[in-house]
Amino acid sequence: MPVKLSAHYMLNIWEQGLCQHPIDRALTILRYACPHMTHEQLMRLTIPERDAHLFDTYEKTFGSSLRGFSTCPRCKEHMEFEVSTKDLFPGYRERFFPEECFVDLTDQQLHLRFRLPNSLDLASIARSKDIMIARSALVARCVTDAVCDGQPFSQEKLTPEIIERIEEHISGCEPDAEILLDLKCTVCGYQQQIPFDILVFLWKEISSQARQLLYETHIIASAYGWREEDILSLSPARRRYYLEMVS
């Protein structure tokens, strides 16, 4: 299970993640949050498993409340909202994520075995500019076995129709792959749905905390001449007390 991110960890994650692709940024966060897991193990977590670990990391570090902002597309009003991790992803600690899934396309005598995508799979298509090619490549990577009418079926023979049907089955194995937030503008009443990404929210909180920690370290170090490591080792309450005395 993930651990709470310390002040040291958050600064390290922020520094390393600034220039990283979101796929690598998520792995950087989990490398500190899950020290018991190797980098290889983290990369091979399915995306639902990865996101469950990110949810857990958020809760243990920042609590269960998520705050965000959006803009009404109709009247351009700036909207703030607050949701709970437990409402967005209920019971994620007890979720079972299958290692393999099966689908039988009986109308084509095709029997497939596939696994859910992981970070390695997403990284393989991250630079693709053609969405359809990327989707096909992702599905092909996740198909582990294919038999048609009792004979091996080559991945090169996967038609767009077959790929679409496999995607439907993959989505069925990932019930929380896409989380949508229902928002209503308090000014004009316009209702909208916006996609929710736990990585975006977690990274935003880590970035905010890291910048605050750098500011606090600068003030205390300037006043007392202490090392950054010693200042970060202080509890938040003690850092606030020293800041009050300096000011």
Side-chain angles (χ1 to χ4, degrees):
M1 297 293 289
V3 300
K4 179 180 179 179
L5 298 177
S6 66
H8 288 94
Y9 282 3
M10 281 191 279
L11 272 182
N12 289 341
I13 291 169
W14 174 76
E15 183 177 11
Q16 295 171 35
L18 278 173
C19 300
Q20 287 183 325
H21 188 280
I23 298 172
D24 299 312
R25 188 175 289 165
L27 293 173
T28 296
I29 294 172
L30 292 182
R31 191 168 72 248
Y32 286 91
C34 305
H36 58 288
M37 298 181 68
T38 66
H39 186 62
E40 178 71 16
Q41 289 173 322
L42 292 173
M43 288 192 297
R44 295 194 178 279
L45 287 173
T46 65
I47 300 307
E49 289 174 324
R50 183 202 71 174
D51 288 353
H53 281 64
L54 292 176
F55 265 99
D56 203 3
T57 301
Y58 188 101
E59 281 192 344
K60 289 184 176 177
T61 307
F62 303 111
S64 61
S65 178
L66 290 141
R67 295 179 178 85
F69 305 90
S70 183
T71 301
C72 177
R74 176 185 289 173
C75 69
K76 308 305 179 184
E77 177 71 12
H78 187 63
M79 300 185 297
E80 298 183 19
F81 61 89
E82 183 175 345
V83 293
S84 169
T85 56
K86 295 178 175 59
D87 293 333
L88 289 173
F89 205 21
Y92 63 85
R93 290 188 180 91
E94 293 76 34
R95 292 289 176 88
F96 171 73
F97 301 108
E99 292 185 5
E100 283 191 319
C101 304
F102 305 88
V103 55
D104 289 330
L105 305 182
T106 54
D107 56 327
Q108 302 186 41
Q109 296 298 310
L110 183 58
H111 308 278
L112 300 167
R113 179 185 292 116
F114 61 90
R115 57 178 175 76
L116 300 182
N118 57 36
S119 295
L120 287 171
D121 300 319
L122 296 185
S124 71
I125 63 169
R127 297 184 183 278
S128 178
K129 297 181 180 180
D130 189 304
I131 295 178
M132 296 304 298
I133 292 178
R135 287 173 56 191
S136 299
L138 181 63
V139 170
R141 282 180 61 94
C142 293
V143 173
T144 57
D145 188 45
V147 177
C148 183
D149 199 18
Q151 299 297 320
F153 188 80
S154 173
Q155 291 184 350
E156 286 74 19
K157 297 180 181 180
L158 293 174
T159 65
E161 178 190 0
I162 295 175
I163 288 175
E164 184 176 350
R165 294 178 68 176
I166 296 174
E167 287 179 329
E168 292 175 358
H169 284 273
I170 290 178
S171 298
C173 295
E174 299 178 292
D176 298 303
E178 183 180 25
I179 299 176
L180 298 175
L181 298 179
D182 295 314
L183 301 181
K184 182 177 180 179
C185 179
T186 57
V187 175
C188 70
Y190 183 79
Q191 297 182 4
Q192 63 172 318
Q193 284 188 323
I194 62 172
F196 172 83
D197 186 344
I198 182 58
L199 175 60
V200 172
F201 276 76
L202 181 53
W203 173 251
K204 178 182 176 182
E205 289 294 338
I206 290 174
S207 298
S208 176
Q209 286 293 316
R211 289 191 292 268
Q212 180 63 28
L213 285 168
L214 287 175
Y215 171 77
E216 293 177 1
T217 300
H218 167 70
I219 297 299
I220 296 175
S222 298
Y224 299 103
W226 296 346
R227 298 182 307 162
E228 178 185 82
E229 182 178 356
D230 296 329
I231 297 171
L232 293 177
S233 296
L234 296 171
S235 68
R238 293 182 68 177
R239 278 199 303 273
R240 284 196 299 271
Y241 187 74
Y242 281 114
L243 286 170
E244 290 173 2
M245 290 192 294
V246 170
S247 61

